[in-house]
């Protein structure tokens, strides 16, 4: 006997993501799912962003890593609440992990929540967390082909950050080819080229975040 | 790796539907997987052979239907299909517009199951 089913394989995660999203809406929190390969500079970007936006914006961070609390400690040094999720062998965060982490974060009065996903451009693509925006971080030493190699991730990005532009004089990186590759996958995605080390290019990213926060408040 | 989580969910959905219908064995699970997803059917089969073996789906055959990546151009209404071996290019091959939307290719569904009492 054949039974028609037509159920989304990821329905359980999507339901939990929806519950998270409802919670963020209730408290008018802008939530960003930050994704990148390992070593692109996700935590560095968050540290820089926190420095620039404190104290006018109240922020919190959820850190996803296979192991260690190193990133949580880095963020806490900046005076921002941070909760570490260790996924063990899990290569991506799931919505239920985020909802559990949310129990440790006071949401009232919070303006922005950053969720730093596990460093990986493949697995997190299919797992919504309830975020408002998905930001993909690429970096100059990774080369210009990342958008072509991970098209699903880049296609669904709400913004792309290109980090480590201070290394442009020292490593082979064809900026035109990167733009061409990126825009062939995501023609309209906002791109912020910056260096977390020197601070070059950061103001545009910060202004964009403030604008997005404003849009959430109005909604 | 994330296919393990995907496979666990496939099993959960299939078993809940089978139980709801009073079935005791699942003989087939029909899946619909879009070409523009990060799910590799071969990887799902492998995980299924590992985690399905102690369940009512232990003898189930996984049938995977793939949906191609299809785009529609908002400018000229043209539709195009991207062959799986090609790099996806999100621009209209007729008029060059980048105002294209995804028609199919993002599906991840359990379409149906076949069961025995």
């Amino acid at each position: 006997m054949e039974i028609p089913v037509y159920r989304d394989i990821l329905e359980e995660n999507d339901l939990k993501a929806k519950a998270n999203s409802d919670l963020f809406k209730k408290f008018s929190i802008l939530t960003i799912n930050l994704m990148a390969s390992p070593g692109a500079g996700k935590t560095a970007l968050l540290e820089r962003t926190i420095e620039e936006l404190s104290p006018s914006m109240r922020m919190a961070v959820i850190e996803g890593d296979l192991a260690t609390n190193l990133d949580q400690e880095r963020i806490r040094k900046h005076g921002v609440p941070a909760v570490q999720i260790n996924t063990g062998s899990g290569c991506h965060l799931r919505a239920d992990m985020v909802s559990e982490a949310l129990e440790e974060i006071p949401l009232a009065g919070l303006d922005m929540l950053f969720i730093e996903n596990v460093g990986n451009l493949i697995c997190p693509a299919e797992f919504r967390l309830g975020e408002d925006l998905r930001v993909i971080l690429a970096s100059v030493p990774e080369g210009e082909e990342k958008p072509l190699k991970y098209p699903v991730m880049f296609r669904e990005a709400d913004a792309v950050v290109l980090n480590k532009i201070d290394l442009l004089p020292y490593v082979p990186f064809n900026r035109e080819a990167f733009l061409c590759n990126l825009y062939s996958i995501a023609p309209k995605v906002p791109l912020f080229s910056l260096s977390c080390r020197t601070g070059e290019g950061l103001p545009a990213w910060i202004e964009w975040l403030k604008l997005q926060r404003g849009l959430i408040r109005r909604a | 790796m994330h296919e393990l989580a995907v496979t666990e969910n496939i099993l959960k959905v299939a078993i809940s539907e089978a139980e709801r219908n009073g079935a005791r064995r699942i003989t087939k699970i029909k899946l619909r997987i879009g070409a523009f997803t990060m799910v590799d059917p071969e990887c799902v089969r492998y995980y299924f052979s590992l985690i399905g073996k102690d369940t009512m789906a232990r003898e189930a055959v996984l049938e995977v239907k793939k949906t191609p990546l299809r785009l529609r151009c908002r400018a000229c209404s043209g539709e195009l299909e991207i062959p799986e071996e090609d790099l996806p290019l999100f621009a209209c091959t007729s008029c060059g517009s980048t105002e294209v939307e995804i028609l199919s290719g993002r599906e991840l569904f359990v379409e149906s199951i076949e069961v025995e009492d």
Side-chain angles (χ1 to χ4, degrees):
Chain A
M1 182 176 70
E2 183 162 2
I3 303 168
V5 177
Y6 288 101
R7 280 167 63 182
D8 197 304
I9 291 170
L10 296 177
E11 61 179 15
E12 197 181 346
N13 185 72
D14 289 345
L15 274 175
K16 284 175 180 152
K18 173 75 171 57
N20 290 345
S21 168
D22 289 345
L23 202 57
F24 301 144
K25 282 202 177 73
K26 185 178 155 197
F27 288 97
S28 298
I29 300 167
L30 173 70
T31 303
I32 292 191
N33 182 359
L34 180 61
M35 293 173 282
S37 351
K42 291 184 294 298
T43 313
L45 180 67
L46 293 182
E47 289 180 290
R48 275 296 203 160
T49 303
I50 290 165
E51 280 171 19
E52 297 292 325
L53 287 173
S54 292
S56 64
M57 291 277 174
R58 289 178 63 182
M59 293 164 280
V61 176
I62 294 175
E63 284 286 346
D65 279 298
L66 300 190
T68 79
N69 292 327
L70 296 170
D71 284 355
Q72 171 184 273
E73 286 161 20
R74 272 173 72 180
I75 296 294
R76 281 184 177 170
K77 280 186 187 145
H78 298 268
V80 161
V83 178
Q84 181 80 49
I85 300 173
N86 283 142
T87 56
S89 59
C91 48
H92 58 271
L93 291 179
R94 297 186 314 263
D96 63 300
M97 295 170 172
V98 170
S99 49
E100 203 174 302
L102 287 176
E103 289 170 15
E104 296 175 47
I105 298 174
L107 295 179
L110 204 61
D111 295 301
M112 292 187 194
L113 172 70
F114 296 97
I115 304 171
E116 183 183 326
N117 218 312
V118 178
N120 182 332
L121 284 174
I122 304 167
C123 309
E126 307 293 349
F127 293 84
R128 297 274 162 186
L129 306 176
E131 70 272 20
D132 297 295
L133 300 168
R134 312 185 111 201
V135 175
I136 311 293
L137 178 65
S139 70
V140 164
E142 294 171 50
E144 56 274 338
E145 290 160 355
K146 280 277 146 75
L148 295 182
K149 289 179 175 166
Y150 304 96
V152 175
M153 202 62 125
F154 279 89
R155 175 70 190 176
E156 300 197 340
D158 296 295
V160 172
V161 176
L162 177 67
N163 187 23
K164 307 188 190 179
I165 57 168
D166 53 303
L167 295 180
L168 281 171
Y170 311 108
V171 295
F173 181 83
N174 184 334
R175 196 160 187 280
E176 285 69 34
F178 177 78
L179 294 177
C180 188
N181 294 340
L182 175 63
Y183 293 138
S184 71
I185 300 295
K188 288 184 171 170
V189 75
L191 172 67
F192 302 97
S193 299
L194 52 81
S195 163
C196 290
R197 202 170 69 83
T198 66
E200 187 187 352
L202 265 175
W205 159 248
I206 296 298
E207 284 312 308
W208 182 81
L209 278 178
K210 285 185 192 164
L211 177 71
Q212 298 303 321
R213 173 68 187 94
L215 293 174
I216 291 285
R217 195 188 293 268
R218 221 182 303 155
Chain B
M1 262 303 299
H2 59 295
E3 277 91 351
L4 177 57
V6 167
T7 311
E8 284 168 350
N9 284 300
I10 291 169
L11 255 181
K12 248 187 232 175
V13 168
I15 290 173
S16 76
E17 289 290 329
E19 284 175 345
R20 215 153 54 91
N21 286 276
R24 288 175 47 209
R25 252 165 29 99
I26 302 173
T27 52
K28 190 180 267 189
I29 303 175
K30 292 185 181 174
L31 305 173
R32 170 72 65 179
I33 297 181
F36 200 60
T37 62
M38 282 296 178
V39 174
D40 174 12
E42 285 318 304
C43 201
V44 171
R45 281 183 207 285
Y46 172 69
Y47 282 124
F48 189 77
S49 71
L50 296 181
I51 65 172
K53 64 172 188 272
D54 295 325
T55 71
M56 66 156 78
R58 65 186 153 273
E59 286 156 38
V61 175
L62 282 190
E63 188 182 294
V64 179
K65 286 188 221 158
K66 276 218 135 184
T67 311
L69 174 59
R70 286 188 63 81
L71 306 175
R72 177 165 51 208
C73 175
R74 290 199 190 101
C76 74
S77 302
E79 291 184 13
L80 63 146
E81 188 173 313
I82 314 277
E84 212 172 327
E85 58 278 13
D86 285 11
L87 282 173
L89 176 68
F90 288 88
C92 177
T93 46
S94 309
C95 74
S97 168
T98 53
E99 292 281 340
V100 294
E101 58 188 339
I102 295 178
L103 284 181
S104 75
R106 292 290 288 137
E107 298 81 357
L108 283 175
F109 277 102
V110 178
E111 283 200 333
S112 67
I113 54 173
E114 286 180 19
V115 298
E116 284 174 4
D117 293 339

